[in-house]
Amino acid sequence: MPRSIDGAGIDDVLSSAVERGGVPHVAAIAADADGVIYEGAAGVRLTDSGPQPVSTSTHFRIMSMTKMVATTAALQQVERGELDLTKPVADYVPEFAELQVLDGFDGDTPRLRAPKSQATVKNLITHTSGLSYWFWNADLKKYEDVTGLPNVVPGDLAAFGAPLVADPGTKFEYGINTDWLGKVVEEVAGTTLDVVIKEGITGPLGMDDTMFALDDGRQGNKAAVHVQGQDGTWGSAGNVLPDDPQWWAGGHGLHSTPRDYIRFERALLRGGELDGVRILDEATVDAAFTDQLDGALMPTAIESADPPITGTLTLGEGWTWGYGLLLNTVDLPGARRAWTGAWAGLFNTHFFVDRSTGVCASIYTNSLPFITDEAWQLYGDVEAALYSSL
């Protein structure tokens, strides 16, 4: 049986965040190895038919929380001997070899050069390939502005033409690595990423509400992306991302519900197994929760290059990256223990899996920009309230 907790403190955090206008809405869920120990929500999502309350059954675009799911699909291929993390990406997807390194600008003219080494599949999983995102790299944003190259949001395959911004293996640079990893997975599997994830992860785990493209019946249950006006009121920015992109994005493409995604978290918490179904070997899960940067340093902060999209990510010391997961190397007072695995999504969704304490949790809004002071406070307050209730 799941442990019993008093969730009143978490309820108060959620309702207070919405009442003070810090977020438009929020849903939160927590579980241990045996089941859900808390679920709650506050606020509404704006729809064509009027405001609707959010719940842990609402569909959210989970954006980069997709990355750990796609990484799990790749790790399954590794376990079967179909994929070698040490091989160059170009061995699986030859067009990767065409990418060059952006080495600055002469005025508005980009300077490009060949990379000094080949990026491996592991470099993709650990964000050390040299690929980046425009919103956290000013040079890449300028490159896309002056060349007209689309970023990944419109779902145009041309986004894969983005250059590297560092030589492979030299630094952690968060970017479109997992979108390229999805292409690798597809080449190995001989089918599309949606099929691979359905057959290997969401299907076996009973995550029937987790998918790239929502069917008509689920579209009405979806939270639009919300933005805050100058008067503090929240309005709908609509869908933002297309429902029919030219590729299924391993980096950001999934929709899910809190009740669905917590099953994936619990599988990681339990060493790769849930309800008698194993999606990863325990040793693979252990590796995912282990420092995998091979000497590349995790930055203490990543400056925003596009404030309407995201704020600056400030981590400080004591963080690293595993397989698809941000890892804290020390205990956080009153919160997650050392070697908890976590990550987030650009529309303000967050999850963490604390194997030492034996709990996992996730928190959902669908709003922009990412990393506002108010939203960041909410995530910390929910985590503190959860741990104080244990």
Side-chain angles (χ1 to χ4, degrees):
M1 291 287 293
R3 72 186 79 183
S4 177
I5 69 167
D6 180 359
I10 309 174
D11 291 340
D12 289 344
V13 168
L14 302 185
S15 59
S16 295
V18 173
E19 288 169 5
R20 66 175 180 263
V23 292
H25 53 245
V26 58
I29 192 166
D32 64 12
D34 296 319
V36 172
I37 60 175
Y38 172 82
E39 54 184 323
V44 298
R45 58 188 176 92
L46 302 175
T47 74
D48 292 340
S49 57
Q52 300 290 330
V54 300
S55 74
T56 53
S57 295
T58 298
H59 276 91
F60 296 87
R61 274 200 180 273
I62 62 171
M63 299 303 282
S64 287
M65 283 168 56
T66 304
K67 286 180 168 66
M68 188 54 193
V69 180
T71 297
T72 297
L75 294 174
Q76 289 175 333
Q77 293 178 335
V78 172
E79 290 183 348
R80 294 193 294 265
E82 300 165 352
L83 177 62
D84 186 342
L85 297 185
T86 67
K87 282 190 174 181
V89 177
D91 284 8
Y92 298 98
V93 188
E95 58 263 36
F96 193 89
E98 300 171 10
L99 299 185
Q100 294 186 295
V101 177
L102 176 61
D103 215 13
F105 295 84
D106 295 320
D108 285 340
T109 302
R111 291 196 308 271
L112 298 168
R113 62 168 174 81
K116 296 178 181 177
S117 61
Q118 294 191 72
T120 65
V121 179
K122 183 179 180 182
N123 288 144
L124 294 181
I125 291 178
T126 59
H127 293 276
T128 55
S129 73
L131 292 165
S132 192
Y133 277 127
W134 82 96
F135 52 78
W136 274 338
N137 187 282
D139 282 348
L140 183 57
K141 185 177 188 304
K142 180 176 179 178
Y143 180 90
E144 292 176 350
D145 288 343
V146 300
T147 65
L149 183 80
N151 60 47
V152 293
V153 169
D156 191 325
L157 281 167
F160 285 98
L164 312 181
V165 297
D167 287 301
T170 61
K171 63 182 297 191
F172 180 95
E173 187 77 42
Y174 185 67
I176 64 170
N177 297 276
T178 319
D179 293 302
W180 277 102
L181 181 66
K183 291 171 73 73
V184 171
V185 168
E186 289 181 334
E187 288 297 321
V188 170
T191 189
T192 51
L193 187 62
D194 58 329
V195 174
V196 175
I197 286 175
K198 177 68 174 177
E199 292 181 349
I201 302 168
T202 58
L205 291 180
M207 297 168 62
D208 297 332
D209 281 324
T210 301
M211 58 194 70
F212 286 99
L214 294 181
D215 55 34
D216 290 343
R218 290 176 171 86
Q219 281 287 353
N221 187 48
K222 178 178 175 178
V225 180
H226 291 57
V227 294
Q228 198 168 25
Q230 290 185 344
D231 63 356
T233 61
W234 289 94
S236 172
N239 207 20
V240 179
L241 277 72
D243 287 320
D244 56 348
Q246 294 177 2
W247 86 97
W248 299 124
H252 63 271
L254 284 175
H255 300 81
S256 191
T257 68
R259 283 184 176 176
D260 241 30
Y261 199 85
I262 200 72
R263 293 187 61 78
F264 178 63
E265 294 177 64
R266 287 182 61 217
L268 296 176
L269 183 68
R270 293 167 58 95
E273 172 273 334
L274 182 66
D275 295 342
V277 174
R278 180 161 292 281
I279 61 167
L280 286 175
D281 293 341
E282 192 163 355
T284 303
V285 176
D286 288 344
F289 284 80
T290 303
D291 182 358
Q292 296 290 346
L293 287 187
D294 296 333
L297 295 179
M298 189 77 190
T300 58
I302 306 176
E303 295 291 330
S304 172
D306 195 350
I309 299 299
T310 182
T312 293
L313 175 63
T314 302
L315 291 172
E317 301 290 342
W319 298 83
T320 189
W321 197 264
Y323 287 152
L325 295 168
L326 177 72
L327 306 172
N328 53 298
T329 63
V330 296
D331 293 346
L332 302 187
R336 67 189 70 176
R337 314 312 291 167
W339 303 106
T340 292
W343 200 229
L346 187 66
F347 295 159
N348 287 300
T349 61
H350 286 250
F351 80 97
F352 65 88
V353 179
D354 180 349
R355 300 196 302 163
S356 294
T357 305
V359 295
C360 54
S362 40
I363 308 158
Y364 300 78
T365 71
N366 263 183
S367 62
L368 280 174
F370 183 47
I371 313 184
T372 63
D373 291 343
E374 296 84 359
W376 210 248
Q377 178 184 341
L378 166 64
Y379 309 136
D381 289 349
V382 168
E383 186 171 338
L386 171 62
Y387 277 82
S388 70
S389 73
L390 296 176

